[in-house]
Amino acid sequence: MATRTPEEVFAHHGQALGAEDLEDIVADYADDAILVVQKKVYRGKDGARQVFTQLLGDVPQAQWDLTTVFADDVLYLEWKATGGGRKVEDGIDTFIFADGQIRVQTVVYTVQQA
């Protein structure tokens, strides 16, 4: 099977996030992934699971608005989300892809009442 491109990985990631399918989200991460989220470091699939459990709790059943810029194996993402009576208007992520998976991700966002 051919290795997925960063665009394919991110398309799957977005579908899984929209469906709130935690295990499908986690499947996109490398076993040794590094996530730096809100100034804390998380590692591996267990770390990704922790991060997305929090995010899905912060804005449940969210409607997402994404702006992406790909540069080779790097993705810069600005995002907004509204759900569960809350909103995020300042989400910024950076992804680094390797071997068809997410290897590194940084995330910062602020949750507000909608």
Side-chain angles (χ1 to χ4, degrees):
M1 184 170 95
T3 300
R4 298 180 300 167
T5 66
E7 291 84 357
E8 290 168 335
V9 174
F10 187 71
H12 177 265
H13 183 70
Q15 290 170 345
L17 184 61
E20 296 192 2
D21 185 333
L22 186 59
E23 293 310 309
D24 212 18
I25 293 167
V26 170
D28 286 328
Y29 288 83
D31 290 339
D32 61 350
I34 298 169
L35 297 89
V36 181
V37 181
Q38 308 290 60
K39 300 180 185 173
K40 280 186 67 180
V41 176
Y42 299 85
R43 295 185 182 273
K45 293 183 184 292
D46 286 340
R49 191 173 290 108
Q50 287 180 274
V51 166
F52 284 94
T53 297
Q54 180 68 49
L55 178 62
L56 294 172
D58 285 344
V59 281
Q61 291 87 47
Q63 296 296 312
W64 300 90
D65 177 13
L66 310 177
T67 303
T68 60
V69 178
F70 280 94
D72 301 326
D73 291 341
V74 177
L75 165 63
Y76 173 79
L77 168 67
E78 292 182 357
W79 57 273
K80 297 178 183 181
T82 304
R86 296 188 212 78
K87 65 182 177 180
V88 174
E89 295 184 330
D90 63 349
I92 297 177
D93 295 20
T94 303
F95 293 79
I96 298 173
F97 300 88
D99 301 320
Q101 293 186 299
I102 300 166
R103 172 74 178 93
V104 177
Q105 181 178 3
T106 66
V107 185
V108 65
Y109 64 93
T110 307
V111 180
Q112 305 171 30
Q113 294 301 312

